[in-house]
């Protein structure tokens, strides 16, 4: 397709910064909010204010996230993640900014990943600041709730699930295992919470040094990611968007490709690196 030719020429020049969204992880089994595989929430996303100010809201979040985490933990990088990692190894992509919290870029072998909204596999104490692995917190939650059984209706991209309140009434959250009383929160940016300023500054810095910004699988609905596209366009930096469906960044784009990432990215990596992106970074068969 002609658009793939143009995209190949753009990326071939190097100096590319990738900005990825939930659409890149759909082929790993993690649904998107707004794309073709999107799921409609039955409840509003948890806000930072509700999480910290309402014990009942906090219990609901941890019960739902405790179940949703199992899907995120099982997810593996797909060919799109591996293609991005291959383009980095080839020296064509300098950095990856991801709006996702699933850690799949790193699992695919990508270095220099800026996780804009944090990671679900880490948990922070809001009192003492201790950082704990999600596996450890999951173990403690299982011990505290040995009889907790619930039917999951749907899982959201942030690891939250749709779950009736009646099923979470007996769920017991746990406090910090270090200070003993601190409030635990996944180390991700909730709605109503701001991204750490130093992280935002780092993103702006890599964007401003780029020759091109490549947006993958993001509708750019939220300003948290769209601001980097706007900054790039204002600086005269080329912006290419690959996404299924329109985005709020299309007006800033040099090139927009409406196509599945699972088709475009392996083809792009094959053209530029001579390797099949479906096998880049994949486990070697025994």
């Amino acid at each position: 397709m002609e658009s793939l030719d143009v995209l190949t020429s753009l990326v071939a020049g190097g100096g590319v910064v990738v900005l990825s969204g939930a659409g890149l992880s759909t082929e790993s089994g993690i649904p998107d909010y707004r794309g073709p595989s999107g799921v409609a929430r039955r409840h509003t996303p948890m806000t930072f204010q509700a999480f910290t100010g309402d014990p009942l809201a906090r219990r609901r979040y941890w019960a739902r996230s405790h179940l949703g985490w199992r899907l995120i933990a099982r997810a593996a990088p797909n060919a799109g993640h591996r293609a991005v990692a291959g383009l980095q190894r080839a020296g064509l992509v300098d950095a990856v900014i991801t709006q996702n919290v699933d850690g799949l870029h790193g699992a695919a072998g990508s270095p220099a990943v800026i996780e804009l909204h944090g990671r679900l596999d880490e948990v922070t104490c809001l009192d003492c600041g201790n950082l704990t692995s999600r596996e450890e917190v999951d173990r403690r939650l299982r011990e505290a709730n040995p009889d907790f059984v619930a039917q999951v209706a749907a899982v959201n991209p942030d690891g939250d699930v749709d779950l009736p309140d009646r099923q979470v009434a007996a769920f017991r959250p746990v406090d910090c295992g270090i200070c003993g009383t601190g409030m635990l929160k996944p180390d991700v940016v909730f709605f109503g919470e701001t991204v750490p300023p130093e992280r935002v500054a780092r993103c702006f810095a890599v964007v401003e040094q780029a020759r091109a910004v490549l947006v993958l699988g993001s509708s750019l609905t939220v300003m948290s990611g769209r601001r980097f596209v706007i900054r790039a366009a204002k600086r005269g930096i080329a912006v290419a968007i690959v996404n299924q469906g329109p985005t709020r960044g299309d007006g800033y784009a040099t090139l927009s490709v409406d196509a599945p990432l699972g088709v475009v990215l392996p083809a792009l990596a094959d053209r530029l690196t001579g390797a099949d992106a479906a096998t880049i970074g994949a486990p070697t068969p025994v």
Side-chain angles (χ1 to χ4, degrees):
M1 79 180 102
E2 183 180 350
S3 57
L4 180 58
D5 293 336
V6 177
L7 181 63
T8 301
S9 297
L10 181 65
V11 177
V16 176
V17 169
V18 164
L19 172 62
S20 69
L24 186 59
S25 293
T26 56
E27 292 185 23
S28 294
I30 302 174
D32 194 353
Y33 282 129
R34 303 176 179 90
S37 65
V39 293
R41 273 187 179 268
R42 299 179 188 178
H43 56 266
T44 57
M46 178 62 63
T47 66
F48 180 74
Q49 292 76 16
F51 183 87
T52 56
D54 184 349
L56 294 179
R58 195 156 56 249
R59 173 186 294 175
R60 283 195 300 272
Y61 174 83
W62 273 115
R64 297 189 312 220
S65 183
H66 180 56
L67 295 175
W69 162 248
R70 298 172 191 175
L71 173 71
I72 303 296
R74 289 197 303 267
N78 61 50
H81 296 107
R82 296 194 294 271
V84 171
L87 293 171
Q88 282 185 278
R89 288 194 294 271
L92 300 174
V93 170
D94 291 341
V96 174
I97 301 169
T98 185
Q99 299 171 93
N100 301 336
V101 295
D102 51 39
L104 292 180
H105 276 297
S110 279
V113 179
I114 304 175
E115 287 159 319
L116 184 63
H117 297 146
R119 294 177 62 109
L120 267 179
D121 62 359
E122 295 179 337
V123 178
T124 185
C125 174
L126 296 183
D127 290 356
C128 72
N130 180 67
L131 204 61
T132 307
S133 72
R134 185 61 180 262
E135 288 82 359
E136 171 62 18
V137 173
D138 183 68
R139 181 190 64 77
R140 294 180 58 214
L141 284 170
R142 287 174 185 268
E143 290 178 353
N145 299 275
D147 300 320
F148 179 67
V149 178
Q151 185 66 40
V152 177
V155 181
N156 297 306
D158 56 5
D160 198 2
V161 303
D162 294 320
L163 199 64
D165 284 348
R166 59 180 172 78
Q167 292 187 312
V168 304
F171 188 83
R172 294 178 54 202
V174 296
D175 292 323
C176 178
I178 300 300
C179 69
T181 58
M183 184 186 301
L184 293 181
K185 170 184 168 292
D187 197 26
V188 298
V189 178
F190 280 18
F191 283 82
E193 190 177 8
T194 58
V195 179
E198 64 276 9
R199 195 179 301 165
V200 175
R202 185 180 172 200
C203 291
F204 275 127
V206 298
V207 166
E208 290 170 0
Q209 294 167 8
R211 191 185 60 83
V213 172
L214 176 58
V215 180
L216 302 175
S218 175
S219 63
L220 298 172
T221 300
V222 180
M223 181 57 78
S224 180
R226 190 166 74 250
R227 56 185 159 182
F228 305 120
V229 169
I230 295 173
R231 176 67 62 88
K234 287 183 176 179
R235 296 286 180 115
I237 298 166
V239 174
I241 300 175
V242 184
N243 188 66
Q244 286 191 269
T247 81
R248 290 192 66 185
D250 289 342
Y252 302 99
T254 307
L255 171 68
S256 293
V257 181
D258 189 339
L261 289 167
V263 173
V264 173
L265 289 179
L268 178 66
D270 185 50
R271 288 186 177 200
L272 293 172
T273 70
D276 182 354
T279 61
I280 295 174
T284 302
V286 177

